[in-house]
């Protein structure tokens, strides 16, 4: 297990191409913004469907 961990760190150190810090930061901001927008859209659609279902059952029952 220890050998596996050592080999994994060597692989990350020697064989992986890492992005520049500035590019990685830009991509992180893009992902964060997209995640927030997606969450807001999901919340909006959920609220809309909730209101539509409530309206439907109010009309059906009352």
């Amino acid at each position: 297990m220890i050998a596996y961990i050592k080999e994994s760190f060597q692989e990350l150190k020697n064989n992986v191409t890492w992005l520049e810090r500035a590019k990685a930061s830009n991509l992180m901001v893009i992902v964060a913004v997209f995640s927030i927008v997606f969450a807001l859209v999901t919340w909006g659609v959920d609220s809309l469907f909730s209101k539509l279902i409530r309206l439907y059952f109010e009309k059906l029952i009352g």
Side-chain angles (χ1 to χ4, degrees), residues 6-35:
K6 286 181 182 179
E7 289 174 7
S8 296
F9 276 112
Q10 283 187 346
E11 178 95 18
L12 288 171
K13 192 187 237 183
N14 299 324
N15 297 336
V16 174
T17 304
W18 296 97
L19 293 175
E20 299 168 354
R21 183 177 288 270
K23 189 168 185 175
S25 294
N26 288 341
L27 291 174
M28 183 192 69
V29 169
I30 291 170
V31 169
V33 168
F34 178 78
S35 297

Side-chain angles (χ1 to χ4, degrees), residues 33-43:
V33 168
F34 178 78
S35 297
I36 291 168
V37 169
F38 186 75
L40 289 173
V41 168
T42 302
W43 172 72

